[in-house]
Amino acid sequence: MKSDASRPSSLEPRALKIVADENIPLVRECFAGLGDVVTLPGRSLTADDLAGADVLVARSVTKVNKELIQNSSLKFVGTCTAGCDHIELPALKEQGVGFSNAPGCNARSVVEYVLCALDILAERDGYCITGRTVGIVGKGQVGGRLYRALQALGVRVMANDPLLEAEAGVELVELDELLERCDVIALHTPLTTSGDYPTYHLFGEQQLLAMKHGTVLINAGRGAVVDNRALLNVLKARDDLSVVLDVWEHEPEVDPELLELVDIGTPHIAGYSLDAKVTGTVMVYQALCRFLGLPARTSQQDLTPLPPLMKLDFTGTVDADQAASVAMRATYDIRRDDALMRRLLKMEPEARKLAFDFMRKNYSERREFSTLKIDASRSSQEVQQRLQALGFDVLDE
Ligand SMILES: NC(=O)C1=CN([C@@H]2O[C@H](COP(=O)(O)OP(=O)(O)OC[C@H]3O[C@@H](n4cnc5c(N)ncnc54)[C@H](O)[C@@H]3O)[C@@H](O)[C@H]2O)C=CC1
Ligand SMILES: O=C(O)C(=O)[C@H](O)COP(=O)(O)O
């Protein structure tokens, strides 16, 4: 998706005016060396806010379209996100504006979100994820990492991705077959409305009804990949399904009836580990430096703080399921996000929208599994292997 255009000779780095979304962590620290950084709320950004700006550093909440940029002096737009459905790429191309997103910056964070959700549901419903079959729709940065993580955990996994070629060791299936065979379905496609395989409402009534009895459906891609109205109707009729929604059609609006019926609901924060956010900021900074033909002086290492929880010790008595749950919940307890989200249920529509954005803006610091060192030297090999497969930093001897 990265498509840096070549740098126009008129663009002097010292004179840059950089408009950035105020909710991009470390954006000042990262970009200050390139010019003046002005931070503004991204959701309400207007063409007037871009007066005199050379660079826009955005997030998924800003619709970067022709109307926003046509009278601007922008030379470069970056979005510190993986998804690009908020960016009208032809409009940027038409005006010769350079562009970069941050592919894969938060893929690991989303994978951990999915693993944590499954851990909670498996405990609640009394099964072990290793005995289930998981289907991944969209095997890109997120889906591919999730595929490998589940394989490493010994879970049966298959994927649907019509844009991919066959690959050794990967079971690619048609969507109908995936719906028929999988106990868990995780959606990780972009939101698209054109092309041979558009994903808008990919999961409508027909697909939702075709899911097996007891299926767990997880959407941490984009809300409108699932027809939310159809999902609501299907959930009213089928209480065997479990649903985890991180993303919602029409965000920041959330349908309270749907929220009430899902098993885990969160405010579009699956990719919100601090590690992912810093990576996203740094990737866009580096892309801008490339565009300007300048060396990148700030690195991810310079910016990432130490995690608040650095070490965990296990004794010999813990089994692999217990160890995995304890370690995962010590780094990220998804139930907390779900509980906060349910406060929306008591609010009026306008307050609900504001609260959705507030939760995202004030999201508590969450770190990825790899930041936690675990001393499992007194535990069984099974425990050590499980923790390693999950991506923790395991001391095993
Ligand atoms: N909830 C959150 O916080 C986050 C959400 N996302 C969303 O997840 C999406 C996926 O992220 P990445 O894996 O990084 O993107 P990616 O571009 O690496 O992978 C997307 C995959 O979906 C496949 N795909 C496209 N159309 C499809 C279709 N009709 N059926 C099945 N597969 C299809 C593509 O071939 C590709 O392999 C992003 O576009 C973004 O919208 C990404 C990161 C965080
Ligand atoms: O990267 C993406 O795509 C996402 O969905 C992000 O996690 C959303 O991040 P923000 O736009 O809220 O910064």
Side-chain angles (χ1 to χ4, degrees):
M1 184 58 72
K2 284 181 171 186
S3 68
D4 304 359
S6 57
R7 170 164 78 106
S9 53
S10 61
L11 195 58
E12 288 304 325
R14 279 286 147 204
L16 287 186
K17 177 175 173 188
I18 300 167
V19 173
D21 184 304
E22 65 183 9
N23 295 335
I24 296 173
L26 303 167
V27 71
R28 282 186 183 283
E29 291 81 342
C30 213
F31 288 83
L34 297 175
D36 294 329
V37 182
V38 178
T39 57
L40 294 167
R43 202 179 282 285
S44 55
L45 200 79
T46 64
D48 288 346
D49 293 327
L50 295 178
D54 304 293
V55 175
L56 170 63
V57 185
R59 296 170 47 238
S60 65
V61 296
T62 302
K63 300 270 172 260
V64 183
N65 51 24
K66 191 166 179 165
E67 195 190 337
L68 185 77
I69 65 161
Q70 63 188 349
N71 296 319
S72 76
S73 49
L74 285 177
K75 309 291 185 303
F76 184 90
V77 171
T79 179
C80 302
T81 58
C84 292
D85 48 290
H86 56 297
I87 311 276
E88 203 179 303
L89 291 169
L92 296 187
K93 201 166 173 197
E94 201 177 295
Q95 290 204 202
V97 177
F99 172 72
S100 183
N101 65 331
C105 66
N106 44 23
R108 184 64 213 173
S109 176
V110 179
V111 168
E112 293 181 5
Y113 173 94
V114 171
L115 295 173
C116 289
L118 289 175
D119 173 58
I120 295 297
L121 295 180
E123 183 188 67
R124 185 194 72 182
D125 297 339
Y127 61 83
C128 181
I129 186 63
T130 47
R132 301 274 145 150
T133 301
V134 178
I136 297 170
V137 182
K139 190 182 158 291
Q141 299 271 3
V142 176
R145 280 175 176 81
L146 180 61
Y147 197 104
R148 291 188 290 280
L150 290 167
Q151 266 184 332
L153 288 165
V155 177
R156 178 84 198 267
V157 52
M158 63 188 73
N160 166 255
D161 193 325
L163 292 149
L164 288 187
E165 304 278 320
E167 193 188 319
V170 173
E171 189 173 0
L172 283 178
V173 297
E174 295 291 328
L175 186 56
D176 287 349
E177 186 181 344
L178 184 142
L179 292 167
E180 221 172 84
R181 289 175 55 197
C182 291
D183 308 299
V184 175
I185 298 175
L187 308 181
H188 300 293
T189 68
L191 176 62
T192 53
T193 50
S194 58
D196 289 340
Y197 304 102
T199 61
Y200 175 77
H201 285 189
L202 183 64
F203 272 56
E205 187 185 41
Q206 190 196 330
Q207 291 71 24
L208 295 165
L209 288 174
M211 294 191 304
K212 276 172 57 161
H213 182 88
T215 296
V216 176
L217 176 69
I218 304 175
N219 187 10
R222 282 290 180 267
V225 173
V226 177
D227 179 343
N228 279 207
R229 189 183 291 263
L231 179 60
L232 177 64
N233 290 334
V234 168
L235 288 180
K236 283 180 184 169
R238 286 188 66 173
D239 63 5
D240 60 296
L241 300 173
S242 296
V243 174
V244 179
L245 289 188
D246 178 53
V247 286
W248 309 78
E249 202 171 357
H250 313 302
E251 289 173 20
E253 278 177 43
V254 171
D255 179 349
E257 254 195 298
L258 182 57
L259 174 57
E260 204 144 24
L261 287 180
V262 301
D263 297 77
I264 298 178
T266 52
H268 194 156
I269 48 66
Y272 264 24
S273 73
L274 181 66
D275 311 82
K277 287 182 174 192
V278 175
T279 305
T281 311
V282 172
M283 282 176 82
V284 170
Y285 163 76
Q286 287 170 342
L288 176 58
C289 289
R290 277 196 302 278
F291 177 75
L292 297 169
L294 294 172
R297 300 202 186 282
T298 313
S299 76
Q300 170 132 12
Q301 250 177 345
D302 300 334
L303 294 174
T304 313
L306 288 173
L309 177 65
M310 293 186 63
K311 191 144 186 294
L312 211 60
D313 289 1
F314 283 123
T315 63
T317 53
V318 72
D319 72 31
D321 288 342
Q322 289 166 331
S325 290
V326 167
M328 282 197 269
R329 291 172 202 184
T331 39
Y332 176 44
D333 194 335
I334 196 170
R335 293 171 297 187
R336 185 172 176 277
D337 285 341
D338 174 73
L340 287 172
M341 181 80 175
R342 284 182 198 280
R343 291 185 185 173
L344 298 191
L345 290 172
K346 297 197 175 71
M347 298 179 187
E348 295 300 317
E350 274 313 302
R352 223 168 23 235
K353 283 198 251 176
L354 293 174
F356 185 87
D357 277 347
F358 181 87
M359 282 188 284
R360 305 188 78 221
K361 179 173 179 169
N362 297 287
Y363 193 61
S364 59
E365 183 175 315
R366 171 175 140 213
R367 301 306 296 265
E368 294 182 5
F369 295 171
S370 61
T371 63
L372 184 62
K373 288 191 198 330
I374 301 181
D375 185 347
S377 55
R378 286 171 292 161
S379 309
S380 66
Q381 231 184 353
E382 198 195 349
V383 168
Q384 295 169 359
Q385 279 165 358
R386 179 78 68 89
L387 294 170
Q388 269 154 356
L390 285 167
F392 291 99
D393 182 2
V394 182
L395 179 67
D396 54 8
E397 51 186 39

